[in-house]
Amino acid sequence: MGLTDLLSIGSGSLVGFSLGLLGGGGSILAVPLLVYVVGVRSPHVAIGTSALAVAVNAFANLIPHHRARNVKWPCAAVFAISGIAGAAGGAALGKAVDGKQLLFLFGLIMIAVAVAMLTPRAAAAGNPDVKLTPAIAVRLAGAGLAVGSLSGFFGIGGGFLIVPAIMLGAGMAAINAVGSSLVSVGAFGLTTAISYAVAGMVDWRIAALFIVGGVLGWLAGTRLAGHLAGQRGALTRIFAVAVLVVAAFILWRSAGAFFG
């Protein structure tokens, strides 16, 4: 096992650990870790590889949420199906953009994620017994198409957008939105990964090692989360600041693509 393999496992572990500890947001680090730590030279390959890892992670996390009956499947299906079309279009557009320009734009989306994590949100009760209606289906389909496009373009899970979009579109409770969002995170990631794989832009070995590391990190993060439940807010803010720092580094390294 070479250095690249160890860095792939280690980077995947870091993403999985943050996901297990915080419950979300960690996947935003996958692309910069693949580019600047693992050494994947092509940003497009990093995005395709990251999308596959995000999809596997989301579907794995979906299982316990399904068992806990947190997933509102009719609503989740409408959002995911409409979003798949958006993800396919977004991935096609992303592949056509210059790699360094894509990284610069990725740095901007990281700033948006960090700001969202730092912004206090009032707890919304929502309706835990929400049922799919024609009006809700229309709202979810429109939101799914828009969010799916962003997810496919950047190769990210997009949970930070999917959860509030599902809550607004269906009026469901937060825990149901989180569980239901994983259907879309997995579907969008898989759609993006397939699009990039067809173009030969997925490193399968690195993806497999990244996923293995992610599972190990997630288990460790989940176990630690139980002991640090009272500090989750502070941990989320620290993580958001770290995302801002990484975003600044990406913008600095890739600014030449636009301003050079």
Side-chain angles (χ1 to χ4, degrees):
M1 182 174 288
L3 179 59
T4 298
D5 295 344
L6 293 175
L7 291 174
S8 299
I9 294 173
S11 296
S13 298
L14 183 59
V15 170
F17 180 78
S18 60
L19 284 169
L21 184 62
L22 304 174
S27 294
I28 195 69
L29 292 178
V31 169
L33 283 171
L34 287 171
V35 172
Y36 298 112
V37 176
V38 177
V40 176
R41 294 189 176 183
S42 167
H44 291 107
V45 172
I47 288 175
T49 304
S50 167
L52 179 60
V54 166
V56 171
N57 177 79
F59 286 135
N61 283 313
L62 178 62
I63 296 173
H65 277 279
H66 169 67
R67 289 175 177 171
R69 299 185 178 181
N70 293 333
V71 182
K72 297 295 183 181
W73 283 101
C75 293
V78 169
F79 193 96
I81 291 171
S82 63
I84 286 173
L93 181 60
K95 288 184 294 185
V97 176
D98 176 77
K100 288 187 176 181
Q101 292 180 345
L102 195 57
L103 276 180
F104 185 86
L105 295 173
F106 192 89
L108 295 179
I109 202 72
M110 287 184 72
I111 292 176
V113 172
V115 170
M117 297 179 75
L118 288 169
T119 303
R121 285 174 290 180
N127 179 11
D129 300 314
V130 65
K131 305 293 183 184
L132 185 66
T133 65
I136 289 176
V138 170
R139 292 197 297 267
L140 289 176
L145 183 64
V147 175
S149 299
L150 283 173
S151 178
F153 184 79
F154 290 107
I156 57 176
F160 75 102
L161 288 174
I162 296 172
V163 171
I166 290 180
M167 289 180 69
L168 288 173
M172 67 176 64
I175 185 63
N176 299 124
V178 171
S180 301
S181 74
L182 292 170
V183 179
S184 294
V185 172
F188 298 170
L190 185 59
T191 301
T192 304
I194 291 173
S195 177
Y196 275 81
V198 169
M201 294 178 177
V202 172
D203 190 313
W204 297 99
R205 179 179 178 84
I206 288 178
L209 293 171
F210 198 93
I211 290 168
V212 169
V215 171
L216 296 175
W218 180 80
L219 291 173
T222 302
R223 179 170 297 184
L224 184 59
H227 300 288
L228 299 176
Q231 284 75 45
R232 176 162 295 189
L235 291 171
T236 299
R237 288 190 291 273
I238 292 171
F239 180 79
V241 172
V243 170
L244 283 174
V245 172
V246 175
F249 176 76
I250 292 175
L251 293 175
W252 171 66
R253 287 290 300 267
S254 57
F258 281 103
F259 308 111

